[in-house]
Amino acid sequence: QKTIMRSRAVMRVALLAAAALTRAAADDGEDDTVSELAFGANVVPLDEKNFEHLTQAATGATSGDWLVKFCKTSVPRCARVESTWSKIALQLAASREAQGLPRINVAAVDTQESPWLAKRFSITSVPIVMLFKGGVMYSFHGGGFSVERLVSFAEREYERSSRMLVPPEPHVATPHDQTFLFTISTVAVGAGVLWLVDQVLLRYYKHKKTKAKAASRKAMPAAAQKEGECGAKLASQ
């Protein structure tokens, strides 16, 4: 009887080991499939300089849909989301490839380095995830930032979330713009200085001319009087 019990125990251990090996093989096979389907998938870093150029978020014209995470390195919750974000990029790419659908771009923004983007999209706290699709932005609300929930949100559940039109891009002066503005400002200041100098000179010459006229008027009666006196002297002689 002990031998039978021992044999059953050995068989039970062997079955458990076989099941574990089967699960491991299945997981490896699944990972290989995901890797193959998601080949080239990665997280795109976005900032104030390249956001609109890459995403075309305000128009949704050319670059497809974008699932964007807005975070700040100093926020602990952001670190937890960061650890799963690359997995989301892979899973989402694999899911779309398996369905024969266009990929959804996955990206990340550091709001500490890009405060204008946070202001543009009215972001007051992080982390927050948004889907930019066809000129509309959809906000993820659900608390848990699991891979499954975010993939589901990007593919289907976004339709149930709050949405609004993507606000237009605020103009940020480029180095060329800054050079142009500096040149225009310098020219404007120079023109202002020349105008002031011109006004001062005009007033000076006007004052000088007025003074000369006044002196001329004063001189005329004196000259006439002197001429009269000379005439009187000649007459008396």
Side-chain angles (χ1 to χ4, degrees):
Q1 189 174 358
K2 289 182 178 180
T3 303
I4 293 172
M5 292 178 64
R6 194 177 293 115
S7 299
R8 287 178 178 174
V10 171
M11 287 180 65
R12 195 176 293 113
V13 171
L15 288 171
L16 290 172
L21 288 172
T22 302
R23 281 198 301 271
D27 291 341
D28 290 340
E30 186 178 348
D31 290 342
D32 291 341
T33 303
V34 169
S35 298
E36 289 176 9
L37 289 173
F39 179 76
N42 60 346
V43 177
V44 181
L46 296 175
D47 55 32
E48 293 169 355
K49 294 179 181 177
N50 66 4
F51 188 94
E52 193 62 32
H53 175 71
L54 291 179
T55 66
Q56 298 291 305
T59 61
T62 58
S63 60
D65 303 340
W66 287 77
L67 184 69
V68 183
K69 166 181 66 75
F70 294 87
C71 264
K72 190 184 293 186
T73 52
S74 59
V75 178
R77 286 187 66 201
C78 283
R80 292 196 290 273
V81 179
E82 184 70 30
S83 63
T84 62
W85 205 241
S86 58
K87 294 178 184 177
I88 291 167
L90 292 172
Q91 290 286 350
L92 191 53
S95 174
R96 303 295 284 184
E97 289 289 339
Q99 298 175 71
L101 297 172
R103 287 192 179 186
I104 296 174
N105 303 288
V106 178
V109 172
D110 187 336
T111 56
Q112 191 166 347
E113 295 180 359
S114 300
W116 272 104
L117 289 178
K119 185 175 181 180
R120 177 185 177 186
F121 301 123
S122 303
I123 297 171
T124 56
S125 63
V126 291
I128 188 169
V129 174
M130 292 183 179
L131 177 70
F132 294 87
K133 181 181 180 70
V136 179
M137 60 184 193
Y138 303 85
S139 299
F140 173 76
H141 298 289
F145 292 91
S146 67
V147 174
E148 293 76 16
R149 295 192 68 179
L150 285 166
V151 170
S152 177
F153 166 74
E155 292 194 301
R156 298 175 299 279
E157 297 299 322
Y158 68 88
E159 296 178 348
R160 301 180 183 179
S161 66
S162 59
R163 69 194 68 185
M164 65 178 292
L165 292 175
V166 177
E169 179 186 20
H171 180 71
V172 179
T174 64
H176 174 75
D177 294 335
Q178 292 173 356
T179 302
F180 176 75
L181 291 172
F182 176 77
T183 304
I184 292 296
S185 300
T186 303
V187 171
V189 170
V193 170
L194 289 174
W195 182 82
L196 287 173
V197 171
D198 185 56
Q199 292 299 309
V200 169
L201 288 174
L202 281 173
R203 290 189 178 188
Y204 171 73
Y205 287 123
K206 187 177 181 181
H207 175 71
K208 195 173 180 181
K209 191 175 181 180
T210 303
K211 195 174 180 181
K213 282 183 178 180
S216 177
R217 287 196 198 99
K218 270 187 180 181
M220 285 177 66
Q225 185 179 359
K226 192 174 181 180
E227 187 177 347
E229 290 176 354
C230 290
K233 283 182 180 179
L234 290 173
S236 63
Q237 288 178 358

